[in-house]
Amino acid sequence: MGRSRSSSCSTVSMFLVVTLIMVMVNQSYSAGREFTTGKENTIDYADALTKSILFYEGQRSGKLPGNQRMTWRKDSALNDGSLIGVDLSGGYYDAGDNLKFNFPMAFTTTVLAWSVLEFGQLMGSDLQYAIDAIKWSTYYLIKCTNNPGVIYVQVGEPNSDHGCWDRPEDMDTDRMSYAINTTHPGSEVSAEMAAALAASSIVFKSNDPVYSKILLDRATQVFNFANAYQGNCNDCLRPFVCPFYCDWSGFQDELAWGALWLYKATHQPSYLDILNTANYVAYAHEFGWDNKDAGINVLATIELLLNGSSLSEHLSNNGEDYRLNADRFVCGILPENPTSVTYSPGGLMHKKEGSYMQVPGAISFLALVYALHLNGVNQAIDCPDGTHVTPQKMVAIAKSQVDYILGNNPLSMSYMVGYDGTPYFETSNPNPNLLIGAVVGGPDMMDQFADNRAQYAASEPTTYINAPLTGLFAYFAHNN
């Protein structure tokens, strides 16, 4: 996400900056090549898991609960939505700013829910906190969709917010609310919100069936809106969503993504009909808040592996194109011959993204989940160039990225961080508050980290960087 901030705002009490927490770790596998840090400490994945979930408490907006563990974060933005007579308090600030963008927030929620579905049994005492993190978002998304025909998709005016570096507790910038409706649609953001609600409904299905049904009913309503009134949010809210969270890939991927999650939650073939109608089988390696292509192919293939003919008979070409593209996704990230990513000398995956760490986390999560399901049916991947890729190799690639993030890199430091405000924006002194568990944008293509608060691509943490890492940490905490 592109942004810049100045220190010119009227609030006196301000402190929201990024600081780096250094962690020295040991030698580990790094993207198909050996990299030695010279350290003997072991990586503590369980600790990383705990902190990755704790991070979300620091991003909370609204009235905080009594069990809030990130105690320096206080109540904020309690009057969101009041200018238009609705309650839009709650939800998450997406990054180092005080804005609430529903597009990345919904994607964060979808992936966090997927992480719990795949790895919740490995999270131990952290599971309940992960579920709480999901509910904090879904409760807000429900507020945003209470009025039929209107969906609130953003709170906060980006330009004024980015021009003022202050705590959300102290902010006095504009808190405008922005919505889409039947004449000004936004299928990408509404379909992603539907995906988040549907995925979360599965998380709550066994332990809170009443709330699960509420989520699923709302997911259905929101997806029907996204599908019936198709269009890009960019077109009606461009000055407020661009260039921050423009949907560069169009909305068809979100419609397919939402339909797939609603199928997973309901097993109703009508959602597969929507998938077929969209004719959406994209060969692409992208996965993030903007582009869901690789996620669609992997999720559809996993469903095929789990459900077999009962699913394939409802998909065009029996769903074989999804499997083909999921396999090609894996073949494109192989360290010995990468075609869809570039590896830094130290072994970190890169693409042209706003925040560098979006890529290795999201892609590694897909690779790991796909690998485990392939392993469950004793299958592997054969790439067009003849390379045979076992699930174990896919897991090793994912582990190499996790280990790099946690310290097995040329700088021998972890990229988990904290953030705080304007008086400290240009200082190198320690920050008064640490957002424990946040992962910053990270190093560049040459493994160099710009420890500079003004360079957001390197220094800014985001919710959607953390979301896929939570599942990865849970798995490797028990499978090192």
Side-chain angles (χ1 to χ4, degrees), residues 154-174:
Q154 180 177 324
V155 178
E157 200 286 312
N159 294 305
S160 62
D161 181 273
H162 291 162
C164 181
W165 194 275
D166 61 356
R167 305 187 312 157
E169 292 89 341
D170 300 328
M171 63 183 169
D172 57 3
T173 52
D174 295 336

Side-chain angles (χ1 to χ4, degrees), residues 292-374:
K292 314 303 186 304
D293 292 346
I296 293 166
N297 290 322
V298 169
L299 181 60
T301 301
I302 289 173
E303 289 300 299
L304 286 164
L305 293 174
L306 293 174
N307 298 301
S309 59
S310 64
L311 172 61
S312 62
E313 65 185 19
H314 294 285
L315 292 174
S316 57
N317 199 26
N318 293 322
E320 292 180 7
D321 293 334
Y322 293 105
R323 173 63 189 267
L324 173 64
N325 287 328
D327 288 356
R328 292 170 75 181
F329 154 72
V330 173
C331 296
I333 63 172
L334 299 180
E336 57 268 29
N337 185 30
T339 58
S340 65
V341 297
T342 302
Y343 283 93
S344 71
L348 185 68
M349 291 181 189
H350 272 271
K351 287 178 182 283
K352 291 181 179 179
E353 296 287 344
S355 296
Y356 305 128
M357 285 298 185
Q358 293 180 58
V359 173
I363 289 181
S364 295
F365 175 80
L366 287 185
L368 176 63
V369 172
Y370 191 23
L372 298 181
H373 283 281
L374 286 175

